[in-house]
Amino acid sequence: VQLVESGGGSVQAGGSLTLSCVASTNTYTTHCVGWFRQAPGQEREGVAAVYTGGGTTTYYVDSVKGRFTISRDNAKNTLYLQMNSLKPEDTAMYYCAAGGLGYDPLDRYEYNYWGQGTQVTVS
């Protein structure tokens, strides 16, 4: 599975961005998929995830709840992250991930496939 992110950029605080991640295969209808971020000198943290297992459940790290929304378009094999009310502390490289088992959707060790990342800078 290959994942390609896009949509990153530089915005002012309070602004919005939408990240996209296109998968080479139809992986978004099974397993858990998510968005992670990593700032310089920090560990990669889970931001948002969506898991389909008897229903669709979304997960968010507390710091982005109410501001970020994860969604997917299965027909396009695309995962999205809508980010509103961005803050300087949201600055990081953002990665999409696929192949998670759903036990701990915001745990990076669950995921088998990663994109190359897209930079988000909030000033």
Side-chain angles (χ1 to χ4, degrees):
V1 177
Q2 293 183 332
L3 306 172
V4 179
E5 302 100 332
S6 62
S10 296
V11 296
Q12 292 187 340
S16 299
L17 285 172
T18 300
L19 306 183
S20 301
C21 178
V22 179
S24 59
T25 63
N26 188 9
T27 187
Y28 292 154
T29 58
T30 62
H31 300 102
C32 198
V33 291
W35 287 97
F36 290 73
R37 66 186 179 187
Q38 187 168 18
Q42 297 187 19
E43 293 191 354
R44 190 170 298 188
E45 70 165 346
V47 175
V50 56
Y51 177 57
T52 299
T56 298
T57 305
T58 56
Y59 304 84
Y60 297 93
V61 69
D62 286 346
S63 60
V64 307
K65 286 180 180 177
R67 301 189 297 122
F68 291 10
T69 303
I70 189 171
S71 62
R72 64 189 180 200
D73 185 332
N74 293 335
K76 297 181 179 179
N77 292 345
T78 303
L79 182 70
Y80 301 98
L81 185 68
Q82 173 69 43
M83 305 186 295
N84 297 326
S85 302
L86 283 162
K87 304 176 180 180
E89 52 262 44
D90 295 318
T91 295
M93 185 73 78
Y94 283 70
Y95 300 88
C96 69
L101 299 178
Y103 296 118
D104 190 354
L106 296 181
D107 182 351
R108 67 184 189 269
Y109 295 109
E110 278 224 349
Y111 293 84
N112 295 318
Y113 307 104
W114 294 87
Q116 82 288 350
T118 186
Q119 179 68 38
V120 172
T121 303
V122 185
S123 59

